[in-house]
Amino acid sequence: MSKSKWRLVFNLLKVCLTALILWGVFARIDLKALWTGIVALPLWLLPALVLLSLIRHWGQFTNWCYSLQINPKYIPDRKEQLVSYLIGLPLRFAVPGGSASAGKVFFVSNSSRWASLFSFAMERAFLTWSTWTYAFAAALIYYRNFPLWLRLGALILTLTAPLWGYWLLGTSPKTRWLKPGYARYALRISAIQTGIAALSYVQYWLILNQIHPISFWESTLRMSLTQFSNSIPFTVGGLGLREGFAIHFLAGVGFDASQAVTATLTLFAVQDLLFALPGLLLLMFNKSRRSDYAHAGN
């Protein structure tokens, strides 16, 4: 079997896994109660969530620009950066795990395709880094039955990962020339990514607190652990795994399954689906670059 066919089979298996997990999640909840919970949310909440998502996407877009600029040969083009970022949003739904969002590198001019892929890898790496940092910090408090040295060690290892990245770039002549750009932008990217993640926990708290009273501390602690599921690349858009994690971690503070899923699906609709629409339109009408992306996948 050819490599492309193996990739197709593997992606189909991950789609099936997503469907299986979602079936397992929705089998445990009252769909009528889920819909009632969503429509019962106050009207002011939607514009508040959209505004916070705008800030989050602006921050993520800024990090995409910084990631491209790690390459000293890259000549910034703000319009091209924005178009490529927006197109990457719907592409993440094309393949389970979000790897198809790498297709946005075909919509930005660079010194080489490899350089753009490196920038994409950097952006994803810092996104995962912030998710893990919050998750391991939460685990340090939540999982008190685990040895302290193990919890603390995992957090320290994660926190220092950007430093290890700088060291790894210097181990090969092919990447050593990227070290100055990495040193210049890594701190900015990590700071913005930390802020973006914090805003997501504000959004979750705003939703959860309307459904059932919960402190910002408890909400952030449990949703930090829930968000760890986003770094497990087995489902489409994190659907299924995230809902399962939310049901588990929110059960301890009085949320039933339908209430937990209401929170995750509401934010998913605002943060991911709504903002994927402009990128989908750009992808549809950007014929030449779309063709390049299609041919590159063959």
Side-chain angles (χ1 to χ4, degrees):
M1 188 179 292
S2 66
K3 185 178 179 180
S4 60
K5 289 182 179 179
W6 274 116
R7 189 186 303 117
L8 176 62
V9 171
F10 184 59
N11 289 334
L12 286 174
L13 287 173
K14 290 202 285 186
V15 170
C16 291
L17 178 60
T18 300
L20 181 63
I21 293 174
L22 282 174
W23 177 84
V25 168
F26 284 106
R28 297 166 57 188
I29 67 176
D30 183 340
L31 292 179
K32 183 178 180 180
L34 173 62
W35 174 248
T36 302
I38 292 175
V39 299
L41 293 171
L43 291 178
W44 64 263
L45 185 59
L46 179 58
L49 294 176
V50 170
L51 177 60
L52 289 171
S53 287
L54 273 170
I55 298 171
R56 287 178 62 192
H57 277 293
W58 181 256
Q60 200 64 55
F61 164 66
T62 301
N63 275 354
W64 170 233
C65 297
Y66 284 156
S67 297
L68 288 167
Q69 289 165 211
I70 290 175
N71 172 19
K73 299 178 182 178
Y74 172 71
I75 301 174
D77 181 328
R78 204 66 167 177
K79 180 181 177 181
E80 200 173 61
Q81 290 168 339
L82 181 59
V83 168
S84 64
Y85 174 78
L86 290 173
I87 286 177
L89 298 180
L91 286 179
R92 65 185 292 263
F93 298 110
V95 175
S99 59
S101 59
K104 67 184 180 183
V105 303
F106 294 99
F107 296 86
V108 64
S109 302
N110 208 336
S111 59
S112 69
R113 195 68 71 204
W114 179 90
S116 295
L117 285 171
F118 170 81
S119 297
F120 171 76
M122 285 294 99
E123 182 197 27
R124 289 294 292 265
F126 277 100
L127 176 61
T128 302
W129 169 81
S130 66
T131 300
W132 285 20
T133 297
Y134 277 97
F136 286 129
L140 185 66
I141 300 166
Y142 188 84
Y143 288 110
R144 296 183 181 276
N145 54 322
F146 281 83
L148 178 61
W149 67 266
L150 183 62
R151 290 175 283 147
L152 193 58
L155 178 58
I156 292 173
L157 186 62
T158 303
L159 279 172
T160 57
L163 297 177
W164 288 103
Y166 180 78
W167 175 79
L168 284 172
L169 287 176
T171 60
S172 171
K174 294 182 178 180
T175 57
R176 198 169 295 150
W177 60 281
L178 293 167
K179 287 182 67 177
Y182 183 90
R184 181 179 181 184
Y185 291 107
L187 183 59
R188 303 183 198 183
I189 295 172
S190 57
I192 292 173
Q193 203 67 63
T194 301
I196 291 171
L199 286 179
S200 73
Y201 299 126
V202 172
Q203 288 177 299
Y204 272 125
W205 176 71
L206 288 174
I207 300 169
L208 290 170
N209 201 44
Q210 296 302 314
I211 299 171
H212 181 79
I214 184 174
S215 68
F216 179 72
W217 169 258
E218 282 289 351
S219 173
T220 300
L221 177 70
R222 294 168 189 275
M223 295 316 294
S224 293
L225 294 168
T226 296
Q227 287 292 87
F228 182 79
S229 63
N230 289 343
S231 60
I232 304 174
F234 292 149
T235 65
V236 177
L239 284 171
L241 277 177
R242 182 173 52 246
E243 282 63 45
F245 274 51
I247 290 170
H248 171 74
F249 288 114
L250 290 172
V253 284
F255 287 82
D256 60 33
S258 61
Q259 290 173 327
V261 174
T262 294
T264 57
L265 290 185
T266 298
L267 189 53
F268 173 76
V270 173
Q271 174 68 23
D272 299 306
L273 292 182
L274 179 62
F275 283 87
L277 295 177
L280 186 60
L281 292 173
L282 286 170
L283 185 62
M284 291 171 61
F285 293 104
N286 201 319
K287 295 182 179 180
S288 60
R289 291 297 183 89
R290 188 177 73 241
S291 176
D292 290 343
Y293 175 60
H295 289 309
N298 296 330

